[in-house]
């Protein structure tokens, strides 16, 4: 088989065969196919697309390019959840304990934040001592005993995605829906879960800017699941404002704690309860989402969901005294209130701007090697639909930086009346 012919076939709009896709992935991972030919094929896919069957085959070949974790010896159906990313998205920290407290088995590999989107691993590592580097044996034992584990992705898992994602990033092919879908799904399938719930976000703070594009991506990933015999479901959710109030690592952990105690923001709480009810029915622990919701709400009320979070943090060597007493978390050196200079009703909060400002305050990375200040970020005081008087508090900035006047102005302008 010749790589030039595979590029020609896709360039001319033809459907790639299983053998052609297998040849490409196997030889690109081994180094036999150079980046310039892989780039040409990625651009051809970007321009000509792939149908559901092609995308499913690409996903399977990427999944099989490295190690695949087998969780079949853990009793029950294992469930995973993936968000396409957003601002203030601390859902995994709340959803995991809710689901595990009801008997679910959450097996999750997560990533780090880059740019305006926060990473679950960074939030967890803001808890002193928390260890995200468990091996497969520790991972499985924790899921058996605790009901949930969240770790970093193994370097041996899905090497095809690592190489292709790095190439997509520099060839303007990141936004190609078949390539996004195969990237997400290959990692999730390789990590061994039986059921996957996808949270596909749209809006100014999300990767997919329109609801229609988010639905297109969600539908394709569900189709991949069907082709590969997995129970994959999806929610399409709004990211036109940050999720919850807190944006920034230990700020979001503190908000997650409040939410598990039933005192968190309504948008975050409701999303977690809805997602959790779907996951518990996927795991066949409840017949209906209504029954599952009742169980989750009861476990928030009786404290079992919060207790599960404490158990989870302890299992991964985190200092639970910070969870039991969140005032122990490090506080930023500079705490800067932002007041409104106008009155009206908030029409929109530009999540992208808020995310970028939180990053500039030290709460995120512009490049993957940047060091995060775990106490930096932004806490909103207002949300869409809220009435605001002149001089009223809009939000508060947290930073160790001494120069932040430009960020103050940018943050204030993110609130559209």
């Amino acid at each position: 088989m010749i790589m030039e012919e595979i590029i020609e076939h896709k360039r001319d709009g033809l459907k790639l065969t299983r053998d052609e896709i297998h040849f490409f992935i196997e030889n690109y991972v081994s180094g036999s196919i150079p980046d310039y030919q892989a780039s040409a094929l990625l651009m051809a896919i970007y321009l000509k697309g792939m149908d559901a069957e092609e995308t499913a085959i690409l996903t399977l070949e990427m999944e099989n390019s490295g190690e695949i974790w087998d969780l079949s010896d853990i009793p029950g159906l294992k469930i995973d959840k993936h968000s396409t990313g957003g601002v203030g998205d601390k859902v995994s920290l709340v959803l995991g304990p809710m689901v595990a407290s009801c008997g679910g088995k959450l097996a999750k590999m997560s990533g780090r934040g880059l740019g305006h989107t926060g990473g679950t691993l960074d939030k967890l590592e803001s808890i002193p001592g928390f260890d995200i580097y468990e091996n497969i044996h520790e991972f499985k034992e924790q899921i058996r005993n605790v009901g949930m584990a969240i770790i970093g992705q193994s370097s041996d898992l899905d090497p095809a995605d690592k190489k292709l994602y790095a190439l997509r990033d520099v060839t303007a092919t990141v936004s190609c829906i078949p390539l996004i879908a195969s990237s997400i799904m290959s990692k999730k399938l390789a990590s061994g879960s039986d059921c996957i719930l996808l949270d596909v976000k749209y809006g100014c703070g999300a990767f997919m800017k329109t609801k229609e594009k988010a639905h297109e991506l969600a539908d394709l990933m569900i189709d991949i699941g069907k082709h590969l015999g997995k129970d994959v479901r999806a929610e399409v959710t709004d990211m036109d404002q940050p999720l919850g109030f807190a944006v920034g690592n230990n700020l979001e952990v503190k908000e997650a704690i409040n939410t598990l105690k039933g005192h968190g923001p309504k948008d975050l709480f409701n999303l977690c309860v809805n997602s959790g009810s779907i996951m518990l029915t996927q795991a066949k622990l409840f017949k209906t989402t209504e029954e599952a919701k009742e169980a989750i709400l009861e476990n928030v009320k009786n404290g079992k969901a919060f207790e599960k979070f404490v158990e989870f943090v302890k299992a991964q060597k985190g200092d639970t005294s910070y969870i039991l007493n969140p005032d122990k978390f490090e506080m930023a050196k500079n705490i800067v209130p932002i007041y409104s200079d106008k009155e009206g009703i908030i029409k929109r909060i530009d999540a992208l701007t808020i995310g970028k400002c939180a990053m500039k305050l030290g709460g995120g990375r512009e490049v993957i090697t940047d060091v995060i200040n775990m106490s930096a970020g932004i806490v909103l005081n207002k949300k869409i639909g809220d009435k605001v008087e002149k001089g009223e508090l809009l939000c508060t900035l947290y930073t160790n930086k001494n120069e932040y006047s430009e960020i103050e102005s940018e943050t204030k302008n993110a609130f559209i009346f």
Side-chain angles (χ1 to χ4, degrees):
M1 201 167 283
I2 301 170
M3 186 59 192
E4 290 95 319
E5 291 180 354
I6 297 173
I7 296 168
E8 283 176 9
H9 289 167
K10 184 47 66 179
R11 180 201 66 192
D12 295 341
L14 301 177
K15 182 172 177 174
L16 297 182
T17 66
R18 183 179 297 272
D19 287 344
E20 286 175 324
I21 294 170
H22 173 78
F23 176 86
F24 166 60
I25 293 296
E26 182 178 58
N27 288 281
Y28 182 55
V29 171
S30 72
S32 302
I33 291 173
D35 280 350
Y36 62 82
Q37 286 189 314
S39 298
L41 182 60
L42 291 177
M43 187 56 75
I45 293 169
Y46 181 90
L47 294 172
K48 298 297 184 178
M50 278 183 146
D51 68 18
E53 186 182 8
E54 277 179 292
T55 310
I57 293 168
L58 176 61
T59 302
L60 186 61
E61 291 298 334
M62 289 169 66
E63 175 194 352
N64 289 326
S65 67
E67 187 178 328
I68 297 175
W69 282 17
D70 181 6
L71 307 182
S72 61
D73 55 341
I74 302 172
L77 293 172
K78 277 63 68 182
I79 44 181
D80 194 0
K81 171 258 174 193
H82 177 80
S83 169
T84 55
V87 179
D89 185 356
K90 72 282 294 176
V91 166
S92 294
L93 279 61
V94 180
L95 176 63
M98 284 179 171
V99 167
S101 73
C102 296
K105 303 287 186 188
L106 179 80
K108 182 164 175 55
M109 291 187 191
S110 289
R112 298 195 178 279
L114 186 61
H116 74 281
T117 60
T120 298
L121 298 183
D122 301 311
K123 302 180 211 300
L124 288 170
E125 285 189 323
S126 74
I127 304 168
F130 196 96
D131 182 12
I132 57 120
Y133 297 108
E134 290 188 340
N135 61 41
I136 178 65
H137 304 294
E138 293 169 323
F139 183 64
K140 289 166 74 169
E141 194 63 21
Q142 185 175 320
I143 295 165
R144 279 192 200 96
N145 296 334
V146 180
M148 66 174 292
I150 302 177
I151 64 172
Q153 187 179 322
S154 163
S155 59
D156 298 322
L157 219 70
D158 201 351
D161 181 60
K162 290 184 184 69
K163 289 193 73 172
L164 288 173
Y165 192 88
L167 200 59
R168 286 166 57 208
D169 199 35
V170 294
T171 56
T173 54
V174 169
S175 61
C176 174
I177 285 180
L179 296 178
I180 297 169
S182 57
S183 172
I184 292 170
M185 292 298 294
S186 60
K187 290 195 291 283
K188 289 297 165 189
L189 293 166
S191 62
S193 289
D194 303 298
C195 315
I196 300 165
L197 178 66
L198 304 163
D199 179 3
V200 184
K201 297 192 178 296
Y202 69 92
C204 66
F207 190 69
M208 311 308 292
K209 298 304 178 189
T210 68
K211 196 172 185 177
E212 292 72 27
K213 283 291 182 185
H215 274 287
E216 186 181 340
L217 176 58
D219 289 342
L220 181 56
M221 289 192 286
I222 291 168
D223 278 342
I224 291 171
K226 286 177 183 174
H227 274 97
L228 302 180
K230 294 281 185 178
D231 181 353
V232 178
R233 304 184 198 181
E235 298 176 289
V236 173
T237 62
D238 175 17
M239 187 44 73
D240 262 336
Q241 66 175 336
L243 184 59
F245 293 106
V247 181
N249 295 288
N250 74 25
L251 299 170
E252 292 189 46
V253 172
K254 288 189 272 190
E255 185 164 86
I257 291 167
N258 282 335
T259 305
L260 284 165
K261 291 181 173 181
H263 309 307
K266 285 183 179 178
D267 58 345
L268 173 63
F269 183 78
N270 291 338
L271 176 58
C272 291
V273 172
N274 288 335
S275 298
S277 67
I278 295 169
M279 292 172 74
L280 289 170
T281 56
Q282 283 181 285
K284 302 193 185 307
L285 293 166
F286 294 87
K287 289 183 179 179
T288 67
T289 53
E290 289 73 20
E291 290 173 350
K293 276 182 190 177
E294 284 179 21
I296 291 170
L297 293 172
E298 179 59 29
N299 280 0
V300 171
K301 188 177 177 181
N302 64 28
K304 287 182 180 177
F306 174 67
E307 288 169 11
K308 185 58 70 175
F309 185 55
V310 176
E311 187 184 358
F312 155 66
V313 170
K314 184 178 180 180
Q316 291 192 224
K317 305 179 182 64
D319 187 341
T320 57
S321 68
Y322 285 77
I323 308 305
L324 298 169
N325 180 17
D327 289 340
K328 285 188 69 173
F329 278 102
E330 179 188 352
M331 189 70 78
K333 183 172 67 175
N334 297 309
I335 300 173
V336 187
I338 304 290
Y339 298 103
S340 178
D341 53 13
K342 60 184 80 170
E343 64 177 55
I345 294 171
I346 294 178
K347 177 183 177 182
R348 188 164 67 87
I349 301 173
D350 190 323
L352 178 60
T353 297
I354 294 291
K356 286 183 175 179
C357 287
M359 177 189 71
K360 291 175 187 176
L361 291 167
R365 299 181 184 86
E366 287 191 75
V367 295
I368 200 67
T369 52
D370 284 349
V371 177
I372 288 178
N373 169 14
M374 293 299 187
S375 64
I378 300 171
V379 176
L380 306 181
N381 204 56
K382 297 291 181 181
K383 298 279 277 188
I384 290 174
D386 287 349
K387 192 174 188 302
V388 179
E389 302 293 339
K390 189 173 181 179
E392 200 171 355
L393 182 67
L394 289 174
C395 64
T396 305
L397 311 186
Y398 294 80
T399 186
N400 285 346
K401 295 185 176 182
N402 293 319
E403 180 48 55
Y404 43 78
S405 56
E406 201 172 291
I407 304 171
E408 282 185 84
S409 177
E410 287 179 42
T411 305
K412 184 180 284 189
N413 291 335
F415 291 81
I416 292 92
F417 290 79

